[in-house]
Amino acid sequence: MPLSIAEKSYLYDSLSSNAGTRPDGRLPHQFRPLEVYTDFLPSSNGSSRIIASDSSECIVSVKANVVDHQVQQDLFQVEVDIAGQRDDSSEVETLTSLLNRVLESRGSIDASKLKLTRKYSYKLFIDVLVISSSSHPVSLISFTIFSALNSTYLPKIISSFDDLEVEELPTFHDADMVKLDVSPPLVFILAVVGENVFMDAAANESEVADNGLIITWSGDKIVAPIRTVALNNSDVKGFNPLVLQRGIQMVQQYAGDVVRAFANL
Amino acid sequence: MSSIISIAKRKGAFQQSIDAGFESGSEDEDVNMSDSIDNGPTHTQESNSTEGHIVTPGELVTDDPVWMRGHGTYFLDNMTYSSVAGTVSRVNRLLSVVPLRSRYTPETGDHVVGRIAEVGNKRWRVDIGGKQHAVLMLGSVNLPGGILRRKSESDELQMRSFLKEGDLLNAEVQSLFQDGSASLHTRSLKYGKLRNGQFCQVPCSLIVRSKNHTHNLPGNVTVVLGVNGYIWLRKTSKMDMARDAPSGISAPGPSNGAPIGAKTLRSSDSVSITRLEEESSWQIYSDENDPTISVSLRQTISRYANVIKALAFCEIDITHERIVSAYEASMVYPSVGSLIDREVMETIGQDVLTAEKMRGTPS
Amino acid sequence: MSRFEIYSPEGLRVDGRRWNELRRFDCSINTHSHAADGSSYLEQGNNKIITLVKGPKEPSLRSQMDPTKALLKVSVNITKFSKTERSKTSHKNERRVLEIQTALTRTFNKNVMLHIYPRTLIDIEIHVLQQDGGLVGTLINGITLALIDAGIAMFDYISGVSVGLYDTTPLLEVNSLEENVMSSVTLGVVGKTEKLSLLLVEDKIPLDRLESVLAIGIAGAHRVRELMDSELRKRAEKRVANSTN
């Protein structure tokens, strides 16, 4: 978003001061309200749509296929489409690989929950569509994936588990579904301005940030990947490790609340 | 109320149902073959729609050839049809349809806030949220060095030293081009580059055109309400204070002999400089903010930004009085950040409207 | 014995409809008021599409600008998850999608009063979240609604329907099952008239059957127009009532 020099310096002075005043007066760890809609695509196993208060919007569909897990190692595949951007743009490709890594990483999602038989498992295809976004979308996308996976239903298997000897494809119940029981990870993105860190940075805050932190949370703790990210096109500034620690502490303190907020219907 | 994040969740639907009595559309409609016989546009029962009546594209508004056709209409033979979804407006002999929603349409004299989009040949192109960018000619701005300073060729080459891409300014619409786009000017001290504050935006339909668009608010904050919905909140400047206080009070120095409006140099007050000097100063294009903006002032500005967004959320027209009223209503919430919550915004909107009803102020 | 019949002797189709029944039609406008100037969300049968109209606005490329009229641009994003079977490849540069975009652009170029908005760009973006046959007809309806929501001047509604031909019986509004087994056409009908703004025929149709196909199609399109119009009016009335405070 274009800002004038005067605007940027006003914002920077406010955010980098000891008081860390945000343009909308939020606390550093405070999120803006979200609207979440789920279960609106009957042709997908799970679907979710999140609209942020700045009208950023993301839609995620989860579809399952049965695969032979002796052949197919990856049981998750995330694909990202950002409206108005080419599929081979660097932003899209970076996001796709980051999200795949988040879901694949050990300790993130329990692959055994997808196991059907000794030979076959479900593979989940997670398609992300970002309709509009005013700042870095990774957090919004991860929240949407989180709520999509939490409302995914998979057909119930009725054939036997032990199929290594018998050449039999899994068969499923016509109507019954089983809710997918996983606790998906969450990706938080923090803006670094001076010595301060802020969660859920608005577009104008991102525009003046010195740097950004991506911190992943899964199963009640911080997990990999953790990385820095540029939130705007100006030169990124280095920060001292205390800032990283502050960011990690903030996520540790408040990520649980975010998970709980999603769980409360 | 210290929740970190507020999530409104709805299962089984793509969006909120628009209203309670939402008709979910007909299930498997039977279509009769005999429905469509006519070959031309159908005549409605009453061919003269009443004032304020809602019409949709292709609908006959009138078959009376007397009317002059304005915006939102087109005619075939002697029939006038609507080209947008909106309300019919009959003013004198002009028949037009006002669309329910549209982008900001500039009118001469509008006080707008705009952002420089492009620097061109002797002109800037300014984003004012309309269908096209507005034009700000080099000759329509005050050049540092005095009013009588002539435009030189070097000015054309250093336009970016005055205004560059991204700069925010307030200006007045001087005139309109044939295609409806605007030509702006900043030939007055009250217009020009904006600094010492932050920007916010509301739908342009919520800003009412009035005589004055710059208002001083309690808490040492000044707001510039652009008719195009672009709003600037800043620390009240000396000029802002002087604008409100009539000149006789702010400069008590000279006695009756001095002409009204003249400010005299007073050694005790380093503020007063002549208007001429101010207009020619390079300060008008400076990008530097006032270094003395305190934390509490920043918080006040944030609070004002939030209450303005609350008024916009409740679709309430934004006026100077309502902003003050909303600010006062918001003081119930000591934490500025709590004002972003949906319910709080609705409460503040309600409070403003209730306060108005009680005072008997026309809305 | 087949498990289902495309058109049973009693006159019932696979989803229980009769030959002249429309699918469920559910639309809303102004769904993305901050992200776009005009927007609509439309569910026609199991088709679910989001349409966003951004503009008239300054074109991003000066070369695109036309000093006499607006430029209309249509982009259709068919998501990989729109069908029951997830698509392996992206539909972005698929020839069929490009053809649909061109057909839609041409149709609305004639209907929108482009000369009122010179030097501007009207950008129409459609996201197909789910599809189940008769997609182009649904796209037409979504665009009409979103353009009207944006306040962009046009001559009339354009309503879209699909019609299939099963042997000699025309079937109004085909779903994907029906689309796969029979020929079908898509119509874009202007307002309440019998004029066609778009006729899309990609399969073989015997000419002597065309008239009956068009007749039920036009009637169906008129009904669709009524449904869109009633939703728009309801919205408009609500808005006018609100703005008097």
Side-chain angles (χ1 to χ4, degrees):
Chain A
M1 102 182 275
L3 289 178
S4 68
I5 296 190
E7 278 175 286
K8 285 195 221 182
S9 71
Y10 176 90
L11 284 167
Y12 191 87
D13 289 342
S14 298
L15 290 167
S16 58
S17 70
N18 283 339
T21 316
R22 301 179 82 163
D24 57 3
R26 277 185 290 150
L27 296 168
H29 54 265
Q30 191 181 345
F31 280 79
R32 289 165 295 175
L34 295 175
E35 281 172 37
V36 178
Y37 301 92
T38 58
D39 298 276
F40 51 87
L41 293 179
S43 64
S44 295
N45 296 92
S47 51
S48 150
R49 172 185 183 229
I50 296 193
I51 311 177
S53 62
D54 63 358
S55 79
S56 302
E57 180 176 343
C58 178
I59 297 177
V60 167
S61 139
V62 178
K63 279 169 104 78
N65 262 3
V66 177
V67 298
D68 182 342
H69 58 235
Q70 294 164 331
V71 172
Q72 176 77 249
Q73 295 294 351
D74 298 329
L75 295 181
F76 291 96
Q77 184 176 308
V78 180
E79 283 189 22
V80 178
D81 182 11
I82 300 184
Q85 288 217 23
R86 292 171 58 101
D87 284 345
D88 54 5
S89 76
S90 64
E91 191 184 344
V92 172
E93 292 198 334
T94 323
L95 265 173
T96 310
S97 85
L98 171 63
L99 291 163
N100 273 304
R101 182 167 304 197
V102 164
L103 286 174
E104 296 287 340
S105 78
R106 201 193 307 268
S108 181
I109 300 200
D110 197 353
S112 66
K113 305 280 184 178
L114 295 171
K115 208 165 182 187
L116 283 168
T117 68
R118 288 203 195 279
K119 213 166 150 203
Y120 295 100
S121 290
Y122 276 123
K123 175 169 177 172
L124 296 183
F125 291 88
I126 301 173
D127 288 299
V128 178
L129 172 61
V130 178
I131 305 254
S132 73
S133 161
S134 48
S135 46
H136 201 287
V138 71
S139 207
L140 176 68
I141 295 176
S142 105
F143 286 9
T144 320
I145 294 180
F146 182 90
S147 45
L149 287 172
N150 273 341
S151 53
T152 296
Y153 287 83
L154 300 169
K156 186 173 181 181
I157 186 168
I158 50 181
S159 57
S160 67
F161 179 78
D162 198 337
D163 61 346
L164 277 180
E165 306 302 315
V166 186
E167 273 301 316
E168 173 193 42
L169 286 173
T171 45
F172 299 92
H173 200 280
D174 271 342
D176 281 1
M177 302 284 242
V178 177
K179 188 167 190 298
L180 176 64
D181 176 30
V182 290
S183 49
L186 280 176
V187 179
F188 290 94
I189 188 164
L190 285 77
V192 177
V193 187
E195 301 281 298
N196 295 334
V197 282
F198 302 97
M199 278 175 126
D200 190 23
N204 50 8
E205 293 172 328
S206 298
E207 190 58 36
V208 300
D210 292 323
N211 216 321
L213 288 171
I214 290 182
I215 297 179
T216 316
W217 174 265
S218 170
D220 298 327
K221 58 184 197 299
I222 308 251
V223 297
I226 299 181
R227 31 170 107 160
T228 60
V229 63
L231 295 181
N232 53 53
N233 292 330
S234 318
D235 296 328
V236 292
K237 290 207 201 93
F239 51 84
N240 83 57
L242 268 173
V243 169
L244 174 59
Q245 236 179 337
R246 223 171 268 154
I248 289 181
Q249 269 163 10
M250 196 183 277
V251 175
Q252 268 168 339
Q253 199 174 348
Y254 296 108
D257 289 322
V258 176
V259 173
R260 272 187 289 281
F262 270 100
N264 297 335
L265 270 158
Chain B
M1 196 164 73
S2 58
S3 63
I4 312 305
I5 180 170
S6 104
I7 298 184
K9 207 162 168 186
R10 179 113 194 267
K11 192 173 155 153
F14 179 78
Q15 56 188 357
Q16 259 177 341
S17 54
I18 308 300
D19 44 42
F22 184 69
E23 188 195 54
S24 59
S26 336
E27 293 270 347
D28 296 340
E29 287 283 317
D30 255 341
V31 178
N32 286 322
M33 290 294 296
S34 53
D35 263 340
S36 52
I37 315 272
D38 28 86
N39 291 318
T42 323
H43 293 256
T44 50
Q45 300 292 51
E46 342 113 44
S47 41
N48 286 302
S49 314
T50 48
E51 178 73 36
H53 183 82
I54 289 168
V55 290
T56 54
E59 185 175 334
L60 183 69
V61 180
T62 185
D63 54 3
D64 197 343
V66 184
W67 293 95
M68 272 200 316
R69 283 98 176 190
H71 292 300
T73 65
Y74 67 94
F75 60 94
L76 281 177
D77 302 329
N78 268 331
M79 322 275 227
T80 311
Y81 301 95
S82 170
S83 61
V84 293
T87 50
V88 180
S89 145
R90 290 159 205 261
V91 179
N92 298 329
R93 290 271 83 185
L94 184 67
L95 176 66
S96 52
V97 181
V98 179
L100 295 168
R101 287 182 78 201
S102 77
R103 284 201 169 203
Y104 166 64
T105 314
E107 304 279 336
T108 309
D110 278 353
H111 181 169
V112 297
V113 170
R115 196 180 289 278
I116 303 287
E118 234 182 277
V119 182
N121 182 18
K122 289 194 265 198
R123 74 196 65 188
W124 291 275
R125 308 205 80 230
V126 186
D127 168 28
I128 53 171
K131 301 184 185 78
Q132 294 182 56
H133 287 331
V135 163
L136 177 62
M137 305 294 295
L138 180 56
S140 305
V141 306
N142 287 333
L143 297 171
I147 311 174
L148 299 174
R149 173 189 185 301
R150 294 187 70 144
K151 231 171 8 127
S152 68
E153 268 173 27
S154 61
D155 286 334
E156 294 170 36
L157 298 171
Q158 47 172 8
M159 282 177 69
R160 277 194 182 80
S161 61
F162 308 135
L163 294 166
K164 55 192 161 312
E165 291 90 343
D167 280 347
L168 210 58
L169 51 94
N170 61 340
E172 190 183 44
V173 176
Q174 185 170 47
S175 61
L176 298 180
F177 291 105
Q178 181 83 321
D179 56 13
S181 60
S183 177
L184 307 174
H185 79 86
T186 58
R187 275 202 170 287
S188 162
L189 264 188
K190 60 181 176 177
Y191 302 124
K193 209 175 216 183
L194 295 168
R195 58 186 81 81
N196 297 337
Q198 68 184 54
F199 173 79
C200 73
Q201 192 177 348
V202 301
C204 65
S205 53
L206 298 178
I207 309 274
V208 189
R209 286 183 169 94
S210 73
K211 213 161 148 265
N212 183 22
H213 283 268
T214 311
H215 305 280
N216 291 349
L217 304 168
N220 209 22
V221 172
T222 299
V223 67
V224 180
L225 295 171
V227 179
N228 56 339
Y230 287 13
I231 295 177
W232 181 253
L233 285 157
R234 63 155 174 253
K235 169 180 172 174
T236 303
S237 68
K238 288 159 193 139
M239 217 177 78
D240 288 324
M241 291 194 282
R243 186 195 60 245
D244 263 11
S247 31
I249 301 175
S250 67
S255 54
N256 315 354
I260 313 277
K263 290 192 194 161
T264 51
L265 283 159
R266 293 187 297 166
S267 49
S268 55
D269 195 338
S270 57
V271 171
S272 311
I273 55 176
T274 60
R275 285 187 80 86
L276 238 65
E277 263 193 54
E278 254 193 83
E279 278 177 43
S280 63
S281 152
W282 274 97
Q283 287 303 306
I284 55 175
Y285 292 114
S286 157
D287 289 318
E288 278 176 34
N289 289 328
D290 179 338
T292 66
I293 306 180
S294 66
V295 170
S296 74
L297 181 65
R298 290 171 196 271
Q299 283 170 349
T300 310
I301 288 180
S302 297
R303 187 178 281 272
Y304 274 115
N306 284 356
V307 302
I308 288 176
K309 293 210 185 92
L311 289 173
F313 178 78
C314 303
E315 294 187 20
I316 297 175
D317 285 351
I318 296 175
T319 62
H320 169 212
E321 296 78 18
R322 282 182 176 163
I323 296 179
V324 177
S325 172
Y327 178 77
E328 283 160 7
S330 81
M331 292 310 269
V332 179
Y333 305 91
S335 142
V336 180
S338 57
L339 300 173
I340 63 171
D341 186 53
R342 236 194 150 90
E343 279 166 19
V344 174
M345 290 202 280
E346 279 168 3
T347 313
I348 291 182
Q350 298 270 25
D351 287 349
V352 168
L353 292 176
T354 318
E356 251 174 33
K357 280 197 196 104
M358 294 202 331
R359 263 186 260 128
T361 322
S363 41
Chain C
M1 186 172 108
S2 57
R3 288 178 66 183
F4 59 82
E5 287 171 300
I6 290 287
Y7 192 61
S8 77
E10 296 86 40
L12 290 175
R13 293 149 78 172
V14 285
D15 50 8
R17 285 186 290 149
R18 299 200 171 273
W19 70 281
N20 61 351
E21 281 183 55
L22 284 174
R23 294 181 287 183
R24 181 179 152 269
F25 191 91
D26 201 348
C27 63
S28 43
I29 56 161
N30 204 19
T31 51
H32 294 76
S33 50
H34 297 291
D37 293 288
S39 51
S40 69
Y41 176 67
L42 174 57
E43 291 186 0
Q44 194 169 353
N46 286 326
N47 292 347
K48 297 188 205 291
I49 68 169
I50 299 173
T51 312
L52 301 174
V53 166
K54 298 178 189 172
K57 63 175 183 174
E58 194 75 27
S60 37
L61 289 171
R62 190 64 70 83
S63 56
Q64 291 174 337
M65 198 192 289
D66 185 333
T68 59
K69 60 180 174 33
L71 267 121
L72 204 67
K73 181 167 162 267
V74 177
S75 66
V76 179
N77 174 24
I78 300 186
T79 57
K80 286 188 180 178
F81 51 87
S82 59
K83 291 195 176 158
T84 327
E85 279 297 312
R86 184 176 176 273
S87 321
K88 292 223 166 22
T89 55
S90 161
H91 296 272
K92 276 202 179 153
N93 290 319
E94 212 176 67
R95 195 164 56 91
R96 185 170 168 263
V97 172
L98 295 175
E99 284 174 2
I100 292 175
Q101 285 173 180
T102 313
L104 292 170
T105 311
R106 287 206 187 119
T107 307
F108 284 94
N109 269 342
K110 285 278 179 291
N111 190 41
V112 172
M113 296 179 175
L114 300 175
H115 57 275
I116 295 186
Y117 311 108
R119 299 176 199 282
T120 65
L121 170 70
I122 299 176
D123 195 358
I124 304 176
E125 196 179 288
I126 311 175
H127 298 280
V128 178
L129 303 179
Q130 203 175 276
Q131 56 169 316
D132 181 31
L135 179 63
V136 180
T138 308
L139 296 175
I140 292 174
N141 296 328
I143 295 177
T144 299
L145 287 166
L147 282 173
I148 295 178
D149 182 44
I152 292 176
M154 60 173 70
F155 290 104
D156 212 331
Y157 284 78
I158 300 193
S159 6
V161 280
S162 56
V163 187
L165 186 64
Y166 189 64
D167 191 23
T168 58
T169 315
L171 297 179
L172 182 59
E173 282 252 272
V174 289
N175 58 33
S176 52
L177 257 162
E178 293 167 336
E179 220 172 42
N180 287 339
V181 303
M182 68 182 82
S183 300
S184 58
V185 309
T186 301
L187 311 181
V189 177
V190 179
K192 297 183 192 173
T193 71
E194 306 229 314
K195 297 201 185 112
L196 296 183
S197 193
L198 172 76
L199 174 63
L200 193 64
V201 183
E202 292 168 308
D203 307 311
K204 285 198 280 205
I205 300 266
L207 269 180
D208 56 352
R209 295 285 155 204
L210 191 58
E211 196 179 332
S212 62
V213 162
L214 292 181
I216 187 59
I218 290 174
H222 287 170
R223 183 69 189 117
V224 166
R225 191 212 81 92
E226 268 169 44
L227 294 167
M228 293 199 286
D229 193 48
S230 81
E231 171 62 22
L232 272 163
R233 276 177 200 283
K234 206 169 14 150
R235 261 318 195 101
E237 267 146 34
K238 197 157 179 273
R239 225 187 145 72
V240 168
N242 273 351
S243 68
T244 50
N245 71 351

